């Protein structure tokens, strides 16, 4: 069967072989965790605890009343040593709660018999919100918001995103292989809460065994289908995924629910399954630690809030390591401190050595339009950067700047090494300022 | 010969025809403009700095004629221009308070610590979005000179990666304040001699000292030694209340890091 895909995009080296066959390992409890109050898109939480309080694993320690927000939980049992501003992997700096491990054993989460059909859609949404589940693919959008489509919008399909199109990362792949039942249970829960009839699991065809496993498992599932997709970046972008699987196009400025679709990551589905089966909030996640700068590339199950210093000590940081990236090489954010903790949206830690970093000086745009040829959203990066460099913020809207998904294809193919995505991010920021 | 006459004649006829058409258009399609606009334009500085909120001096003049804005709207022109405008408009002039821009950071490239290597878009606003680029202090000057490029009066110079303002050229238009992503440039009223805190770090003393040699470490010595109660501490940062300040200079003497500086506004207009 021919694999489906979308138009344009790029083919970067996959580099998945480093950690592909490493089983998910559990990381021992760290001596201290840093729980950021803003780990999701939306309003940051307010702390519900104070300095000196004793907290239990899974206890809610921060929340906010806003709809687009979700609570944070303590990932270990221990004592709160302080609440202060600390380095944050995406925001630079943010309010965080420091919890010191008292040396207690990890809490055991008992699995209960759960019948999905006895749970009402409202109940599922409420449980997902209370568990603090945010999209685990990277953007960390609160999942309960995705599960509550406005009544006017009819959702007919749910897509589970198992593409993992970012090079190097293998966490989702391991989750699909090792926790296939939880993935499917999570998908069914999403389908039930949105009232959707069809479920799809999109997997890139470089993960042949995951596709085979899923297809075999789906033989007796009527409403769920496994779709092999062409290996191409950014196949895992939700708009690309919808286009490839359902041939629908999300309108400019719209959301997937405008075309009746909700897209969710496989990791998120597993977290939903944990919540419904074990009443377990989002306190841990699977990440990939990889790159040429680590001695032991691996897939790890870590507590949210574990400082990357602790994780890198386990995996062995090589001396020639030069650059630390939170996330994948295409969309990840380069970090300057090892005290940064894992947050809900962290899908991996990538350590690169000097020879893998290509930092050439920016040259002038030669208008070759390679970026135009590869932009999966069909934008005109050449024109956009011209306007941004001239600081003509008000004209950017006409060029659909806000539709940019910041996938980085344009920067990747640019022969003049222009940091196009950074310019676009700056343009978006300035545009927000003038329009507010 | 005949050819030359025909050519000259036809060109002359065409010229006459267009001249007539133009003069008709001039009298029939004329747009009446308030004569005060021209006079206001002469009175305004004419730099089109947009500090008033209008795109150009002409736009401000047109709005002023319609009575949409006050006479003192041109901050750049100050009292002189406000007076001229009020004479043209026939209203009473309002006293405009003259303010100048001041950079609340005193650390050059050599005095501030680096936390990383930054390779990206070389503007402060873009660098600030990626955790402030290479500057370790999360409050201080980033040094790419967005303010310098934005200044319509060439009053800002970047020396050793830090913005310096030439008070003799600064008009207080506030363009630099708008573009600075770290909000370290403020508009303040200046006397002949002033003492100012040249730092905006809200970090605690230890952290502030770690990242910068010239930061305010919130030791509070200025607060204790000020005889006029003009110094106070706000969120780990010393502040000086210009209403109480008697310009004695004790605070600058006792400050251990040199964060309080003496400024001489020699080019005061």
């Amino acid at each position: 069967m021919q694999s489906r895909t979308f138009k344009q995009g790029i083919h970067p080296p996959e580099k998945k072989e480093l950690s592909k066959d490493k089983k998910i390992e559990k990381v021992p409890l760290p001596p201290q965790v840093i729980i950021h109050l803003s780990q999701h898109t939306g309003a940051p939480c307010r702390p519900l605890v104070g300095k000196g309080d004793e907290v239990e694993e899974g206890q809610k320690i921060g929340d906010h009343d806003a709809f687009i927000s979700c609570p944070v939980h303590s990932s270990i049992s221990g004592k709160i040593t302080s609440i202060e501003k600390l380095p944050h992997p995406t925001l630079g700096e943010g309010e965080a709660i420091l919890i010191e491990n008292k040396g207690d054993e990890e809490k055991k989460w008992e699995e209960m018999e759960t019948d999905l059909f006895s749970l009402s859609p409202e109940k599922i949404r409420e449980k997902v919100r209370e568990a603090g589940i945010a999209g685990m693919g990277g953007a960390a959008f609160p999942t309960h918001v995705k599960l509550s489509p406005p009544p006017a919008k009819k959702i007919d399909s749910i897509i589970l995103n198992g593409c993992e199109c970012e090079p190097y990362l293998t966490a989702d792949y391991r989750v699909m292989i090792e926790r296939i039942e939880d993935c499917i249970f999570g998908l069914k829960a999403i389908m039930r809460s949105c009232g959707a009839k069809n479920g799809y699991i999109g997997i890139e065809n470089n993960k042949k065994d995951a596709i085979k496993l899923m297809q075999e498992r789906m033989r007796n599932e009527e409403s769920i289908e496994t779709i092999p997709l062409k290996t191409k970046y950014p196949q895992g972008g939700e708009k690309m995924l919808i286009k490839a699987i359902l041939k629908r196009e999300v309108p400019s400025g719209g959301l997937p629910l405008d075309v009746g679709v909700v897209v969710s990551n496989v990791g998120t589905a597993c977290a939903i399954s944990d919540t419904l089966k074990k009443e377990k909030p989002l306190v841990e996640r699977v990440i990939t630690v990889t790159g040429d700068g680590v001695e032991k590339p691996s897939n790890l199950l870590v507590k949210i809030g574990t400082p990357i210093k602790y994780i890198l000590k386990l995996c062995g940081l090589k001396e020639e390591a030069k650059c630390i990236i939170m996330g994948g090489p295409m969309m990840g954010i380069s970090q300057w401190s090892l005290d940064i903790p894992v947050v809900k949206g962290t899908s991996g830690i990538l350590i690169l050595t000097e020879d893998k970093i290509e930092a050439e000086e920016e040259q002038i745009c030669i208008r070759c339009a390679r970026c135009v040829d590869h932009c999966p959203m069909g934008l005109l990066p050449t024109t956009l950067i011209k306007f941004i460099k001239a600081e003509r913020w008000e004209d950017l809207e006409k060029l659909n700047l806000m539709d940019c998904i910041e996938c980085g294809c344009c920067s990747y193919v640019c022969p003049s090494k222009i940091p196009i995505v950074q310019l676009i991010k700056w343009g978006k920021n300035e545009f927000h300022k003038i329009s507010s | 010969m005949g050819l030359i006459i025909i050519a000259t004649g036809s060109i002359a006829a065409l010229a006459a025809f267009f001249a007539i058409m133009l003069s008709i258009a001039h009298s029939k399609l004329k747009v009446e403009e308030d004569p005060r606009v021209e006079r206001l334009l002469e009175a305004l500085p004419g730099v089109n700095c947009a500090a008033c909120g209008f795109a150009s001096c002409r736009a401000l003049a047109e709005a002023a004629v319609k009575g949409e804005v006050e006479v003192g709207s041109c901050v750049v022109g100050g009292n002189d221009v406000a007076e001229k405008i009020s004479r043209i408009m026939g209203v009473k002039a309002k006293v405009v308070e003259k303010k100048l821009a001041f950079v609340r950071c005193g650390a050059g490239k050599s005095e501030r610590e680096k936390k990383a290597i930054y390779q990206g878009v070389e503007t402060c606003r873009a660098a600030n979005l990626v955790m402030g680029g290479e500057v370790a202090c999360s409050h201080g000057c980033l040094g790419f000179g967005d303010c310098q490029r934005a200044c319509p009066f060439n009053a800002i110079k970047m020396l050793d990666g830090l913005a310096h303002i030439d008070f003799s050229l600064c008009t207080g238009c506030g363009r630099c304040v708008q573009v600075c992503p770290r909000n370290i440039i403020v508009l303040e009223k200046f006397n002949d001699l002033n003492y100012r805190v040249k730092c905006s770090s809200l970090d605690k003393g230890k952290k502030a000292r770690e990242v910068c040699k010239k930061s305010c470490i919130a030791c509070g010595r200025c607060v204790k030694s000020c005889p006029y109660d003009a110094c106070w501490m706000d969120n780990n940062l010393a502040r000086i209340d210009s209403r109480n300040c008697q310009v004695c200079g004790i605070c600058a003497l006792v400050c251990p890091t040199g964060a309080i500086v003496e400024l001489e506004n020699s080019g005061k207009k």
Side-chain angles (χ1 to χ4, degrees), chain A residues 105-125:
Chain A
E105 285 228 347
E106 215 184 328
K107 192 169 171 180
K108 292 266 187 300
W109 300 91
E110 295 291 325
E111 189 161 336
M112 294 170 293
E113 242 348 273
T114 317
D115 178 20
L116 202 52
F117 292 95
S118 64
L119 290 167
S120 68
E122 289 76 30
K123 190 81 192 153
I124 296 175
R125 269 172 232 153

Short mmCIF file of all heavy atoms in Angstrom, two decimals, chain A residues 105-125:
data_model
loop_
_atom_site.label_atom_id
_atom_site.label_comp_id
_atom_site.label_asym_id
_atom_site.label_seq_id
_atom_site.Cartn_x
_atom_site.Cartn_y
_atom_site.Cartn_z
N GLU A 105 9.65 5.99 49.41
CA GLU A 105 9.52 5.13 48.24
C GLU A 105 8.51 5.73 47.29
O GLU A 105 7.69 6.55 47.66
CB GLU A 105 9.05 3.74 48.69
CG GLU A 105 10.16 2.97 49.34
CD GLU A 105 10.25 1.58 48.79
OE1 GLU A 105 9.31 1.17 48.11
OE2 GLU A 105 11.26 0.91 49.06
N GLU A 106 8.62 5.30 46.06
CA GLU A 106 7.70 5.80 45.06
C GLU A 106 6.30 5.27 45.32
O GLU A 106 6.11 4.15 45.78
CB GLU A 106 8.19 5.30 43.70
CG GLU A 106 7.95 6.28 42.62
CD GLU A 106 8.36 5.74 41.29
OE1 GLU A 106 9.31 4.95 41.24
OE2 GLU A 106 7.70 6.10 40.32
N LYS A 107 5.33 6.11 45.03
CA LYS A 107 3.94 5.69 45.24
C LYS A 107 3.54 4.65 44.19
O LYS A 107 3.91 4.77 43.02
CB LYS A 107 3.04 6.92 45.11
CG LYS A 107 1.63 6.71 45.58
CD LYS A 107 0.91 8.04 45.67
CE LYS A 107 -0.55 7.85 45.92
NZ LYS A 107 -1.25 9.12 46.01
N LYS A 108 2.82 3.63 44.66
CA LYS A 108 2.32 2.62 43.72
C LYS A 108 0.93 3.02 43.26
O LYS A 108 0.05 3.29 44.09
CB LYS A 108 2.25 1.25 44.41
CG LYS A 108 3.62 0.69 44.77
CD LYS A 108 4.12 -0.23 43.68
CE LYS A 108 5.41 -0.93 44.08
NZ LYS A 108 6.53 -0.03 44.37
N TRP A 109 0.76 3.07 41.96
CA TRP A 109 -0.57 3.43 41.43
C TRP A 109 -1.25 2.13 41.02
O TRP A 109 -0.82 1.47 40.09
CB TRP A 109 -0.44 4.39 40.26
CG TRP A 109 0.25 5.67 40.63
CD1 TRP A 109 1.58 5.93 40.55
CD2 TRP A 109 -0.36 6.85 41.14
NE1 TRP A 109 1.84 7.19 40.98
CE2 TRP A 109 0.68 7.78 41.34
CE3 TRP A 109 -1.67 7.22 41.45
CZ2 TRP A 109 0.44 9.06 41.84
CZ3 TRP A 109 -1.90 8.49 41.93
CH2 TRP A 109 -0.86 9.40 42.13
N GLU A 110 -2.31 1.79 41.75
CA GLU A 110 -3.01 0.53 41.49
C GLU A 110 -3.87 0.65 40.24
O GLU A 110 -4.58 1.64 40.04
CB GLU A 110 -3.93 0.19 42.68
CG GLU A 110 -3.18 -0.10 43.97
CD GLU A 110 -2.39 -1.39 43.92
OE1 GLU A 110 -2.88 -2.34 43.27
OE2 GLU A 110 -1.30 -1.45 44.50
N GLU A 111 -3.81 -0.39 39.41
CA GLU A 111 -4.65 -0.38 38.23
C GLU A 111 -6.03 -0.90 38.58
O GLU A 111 -6.17 -1.93 39.24
CB GLU A 111 -4.02 -1.22 37.12
CG GLU A 111 -4.76 -1.06 35.82
CD GLU A 111 -3.95 -1.49 34.62
OE1 GLU A 111 -2.71 -1.49 34.70
OE2 GLU A 111 -4.58 -1.81 33.61
N MET A 112 -7.05 -0.15 38.15
CA MET A 112 -8.42 -0.57 38.46
C MET A 112 -9.09 -1.05 37.18
O MET A 112 -8.72 -0.64 36.08
CB MET A 112 -9.21 0.60 39.04
CG MET A 112 -8.69 1.04 40.39
SD MET A 112 -9.47 2.57 40.89
CE MET A 112 -8.86 3.73 39.73
N GLU A 113 -10.11 -1.86 37.35
CA GLU A 113 -10.94 -2.29 36.23
C GLU A 113 -11.71 -1.06 35.76
O GLU A 113 -12.42 -0.44 36.55
CB GLU A 113 -11.94 -3.31 36.75
CG GLU A 113 -11.94 -4.75 36.22
CD GLU A 113 -11.15 -5.10 35.00
OE1 GLU A 113 -11.71 -4.94 33.91
OE2 GLU A 113 -10.02 -5.60 35.14
N THR A 114 -11.52 -0.64 34.53
CA THR A 114 -12.24 0.55 34.08
C THR A 114 -13.03 0.23 32.83
O THR A 114 -12.48 -0.27 31.85
CB THR A 114 -11.25 1.69 33.77
OG1 THR A 114 -10.28 1.72 34.79
CG2 THR A 114 -11.96 3.01 33.70
N ASP A 115 -14.30 0.55 32.90
CA ASP A 115 -15.13 0.39 31.72
C ASP A 115 -15.34 1.78 31.14
O ASP A 115 -15.95 2.65 31.77
CB ASP A 115 -16.47 -0.25 32.10
CG ASP A 115 -17.36 -0.36 30.88
OD1 ASP A 115 -16.82 -0.30 29.76
OD2 ASP A 115 -18.59 -0.48 31.06
N LEU A 116 -14.81 1.98 29.96
CA LEU A 116 -14.86 3.30 29.34
C LEU A 116 -16.29 3.77 29.14
O LEU A 116 -16.61 4.95 29.26
CB LEU A 116 -14.11 3.24 28.01
CG LEU A 116 -13.60 4.54 27.44
CD1 LEU A 116 -12.77 5.30 28.46
CD2 LEU A 116 -12.78 4.27 26.20
N PHE A 117 -17.18 2.82 28.86
CA PHE A 117 -18.56 3.23 28.52
C PHE A 117 -19.38 3.61 29.74
O PHE A 117 -20.46 4.16 29.62
CB PHE A 117 -19.22 2.15 27.68
CG PHE A 117 -18.57 2.05 26.35
CD1 PHE A 117 -17.57 1.14 26.10
CD2 PHE A 117 -18.91 2.96 25.34
CE1 PHE A 117 -16.92 1.10 24.88
CE2 PHE A 117 -18.27 2.92 24.11
CZ PHE A 117 -17.28 1.98 23.87
N SER A 118 -18.83 3.35 30.92
CA SER A 118 -19.53 3.80 32.13
C SER A 118 -19.16 5.25 32.46
O SER A 118 -19.78 5.88 33.30
CB SER A 118 -19.20 2.89 33.30
OG SER A 118 -17.82 3.01 33.58
N LEU A 119 -18.14 5.77 31.79
CA LEU A 119 -17.73 7.15 32.03
C LEU A 119 -18.40 8.07 31.02
O LEU A 119 -18.37 7.80 29.82
CB LEU A 119 -16.22 7.29 31.89
CG LEU A 119 -15.34 6.64 32.96
CD1 LEU A 119 -13.90 6.59 32.49
CD2 LEU A 119 -15.44 7.38 34.27
N SER A 120 -19.00 9.15 31.52
CA SER A 120 -19.61 10.09 30.59
C SER A 120 -18.51 10.96 29.98
O SER A 120 -17.44 11.12 30.58
CB SER A 120 -20.61 10.97 31.32
OG SER A 120 -19.93 11.81 32.21
N PRO A 121 -18.75 11.56 28.77
CA PRO A 121 -17.73 12.43 28.18
C PRO A 121 -17.31 13.55 29.13
O PRO A 121 -16.12 13.89 29.20
CB PRO A 121 -18.43 12.99 26.94
CG PRO A 121 -19.43 11.97 26.57
CD PRO A 121 -19.88 11.35 27.87
N GLU A 122 -18.26 14.11 29.87
CA GLU A 122 -17.93 15.20 30.81
C GLU A 122 -16.96 14.71 31.88
O GLU A 122 -16.03 15.41 32.27
CB GLU A 122 -19.19 15.76 31.48
CG GLU A 122 -20.11 16.55 30.58
CD GLU A 122 -20.93 15.67 29.66
OE1 GLU A 122 -21.24 14.52 30.07
OE2 GLU A 122 -21.24 16.10 28.54
N LYS A 123 -17.23 13.50 32.35
CA LYS A 123 -16.40 12.93 33.41
C LYS A 123 -14.96 12.73 32.91
O LYS A 123 -14.01 13.02 33.63
CB LYS A 123 -17.02 11.58 33.83
CG LYS A 123 -16.41 10.98 35.07
CD LYS A 123 -16.98 11.61 36.32
CE LYS A 123 -16.13 11.21 37.52
NZ LYS A 123 -16.17 12.19 38.59
N ILE A 124 -14.83 12.26 31.67
CA ILE A 124 -13.50 12.06 31.10
C ILE A 124 -12.75 13.38 31.04
O ILE A 124 -11.60 13.49 31.47
CB ILE A 124 -13.58 11.42 29.69
CG1 ILE A 124 -14.18 10.02 29.78
CG2 ILE A 124 -12.20 11.36 29.03
CD1 ILE A 124 -14.42 9.35 28.46
N ARG A 125 -13.45 14.42 30.54
CA ARG A 125 -12.83 15.74 30.44
C ARG A 125 -12.36 16.24 31.80
O ARG A 125 -11.26 16.74 31.96
CB ARG A 125 -13.84 16.75 29.88
CG ARG A 125 -13.80 16.85 28.40
CD ARG A 125 -14.92 17.70 27.91
NE ARG A 125 -15.65 16.98 26.88
CZ ARG A 125 -16.92 17.17 26.59
NH1 ARG A 125 -17.63 18.04 27.26
NH2 ARG A 125 -17.49 16.49 25.62
#
